[in-house]
Amino acid sequence: MKGREMHINKLVLSGVFGVSLIITACSDQGSQQTGIANPVGEKADVIQLSYDPEKYTKGLELYQGACASCHGKQGEGALNWQQKATQGKAKPPPLNGTGHAWHHPMHILKGVVRNGTARLGGNMPAWKDKLTDEQIQNILYWMQSQWPKEIYNAWYLNNQEALRNRARGKK
Ligand code: HEC
């Protein structure tokens, strides 16, 4: 468990904090009236906040079939998710913006869903043999549509930084 936490922390530390000052500068886009963001454009660096009902509907359907049994119908997570379950494994955290999924850039979120966390000592199943990348993207699209806009914006800036770091060859 420790190893996993350290692993994730290392990946998300850069850029999560210290973004609050600029958050207000990049708020009010049209879609925020609907609360539905579009974080999964073809190119990650042209991510737009926009309303895409088709992706939303597909993502929601897939989410209900594959993820809701553990993460809750609205992504609210397991009851008392912050307490470890009996075997010392994590309970399913919320995905609705009240947990820490927003700390993770898109490539990490996709990796968690594709590969699960068993190899890191966690309980999240791997989905790469059951869902296509596009399906996973649509689910994550739906997930992010549930986030409050401040959370989404903080994620967005963090994700931009992760993309820049990756482009420069850093992990
Ligand atoms: C059998 C229960 C279970 C199912 C089904 C499940 N998850 Fe999870 N998920 C977990 C657990 C437990 C964790 C915490 C993993 C850990 O800490 O090792 C987790 C973690 C995550 C995280 C990381 C969250 C964070 O705060 O870092 C994401 C994202 C996620 N799951 C998405 C999904 C999606 C999308 C689906 C459906 C395709 C799904 N999960 C299906 C149990 C599940």
Side-chain angles (χ1 to χ4, degrees), residues 18 24 30 71 75 105 134 146:
T24 42
H71 288 283
E134 195 188 345
Q146 304 301 294

Side-chain angles (χ1 to χ4, degrees), residues 14-130:
S14 60
V16 172
F17 305 104
V19 294
S20 51
L21 287 180
I22 22 179
I23 285 172
T24 42
C26 53
S27 47
D28 294 324
Q29 307 269 331
S31 68
Q32 291 180 348
Q33 289 148 10
T34 65
I36 293 173
N38 176 8
V40 286
E42 291 308 307
K43 275 198 193 159
D45 59 347
V46 292
I47 287 167
Q48 301 280 325
L49 291 174
S50 66
Y51 178 73
D52 187 336
E54 202 188 317
K55 286 185 182 173
Y56 177 90
T57 308
K58 283 186 187 160
L60 173 60
E61 257 169 37
L62 290 163
Y63 176 87
Q64 294 302 341
C67 325
S69 58
C70 287
H71 288 283
K73 276 203 167 338
Q74 304 296 325
E76 67 274 19
L79 200 63
N80 300 324
W81 64 276
Q82 276 151 316
Q83 293 160 18
K84 297 265 153 68
T86 34
Q87 310 88 336
K89 302 221 176 191
K91 295 181 190 168
L95 301 179
N96 63 1
T98 61
H100 48 69
W102 66 274
H103 291 187
H104 309 309
M106 187 49 82
H107 70 282
I108 302 287
L109 290 170
K110 279 189 197 155
V112 170
V113 181
R114 282 178 54 78
N115 303 318
T117 59
R119 74 202 157 106
L120 303 169
N123 260 344
M124 165 74 189
W127 290 95
K128 62 172 183 248
D129 297 331
K130 301 192 178 109

Side-chain angles (χ1 to χ4, degrees), residues 109-167:
L109 290 170
K110 279 189 197 155
V112 170
V113 181
R114 282 178 54 78
N115 303 318
T117 59
R119 74 202 157 106
L120 303 169
N123 260 344
M124 165 74 189
W127 290 95
K128 62 172 183 248
D129 297 331
K130 301 192 178 109
L131 296 171
T132 64
D133 282 358
E134 195 188 345
Q135 288 175 318
I136 291 173
Q137 279 204 336
N138 284 337
I139 296 175
L140 294 173
Y141 174 92
W142 177 80
M143 173 185 86
Q144 292 191 309
S145 75
Q146 304 301 294
W147 295 357
K149 77 175 181 197
E150 295 76 10
I151 293 288
Y152 179 82
N153 283 339
W155 171 85
Y156 180 86
L157 295 173
N158 184 39
N159 190 58
Q160 292 293 90
E161 172 150 345
L163 289 170
R164 282 193 296 274
N165 286 340
R166 270 155 72 87

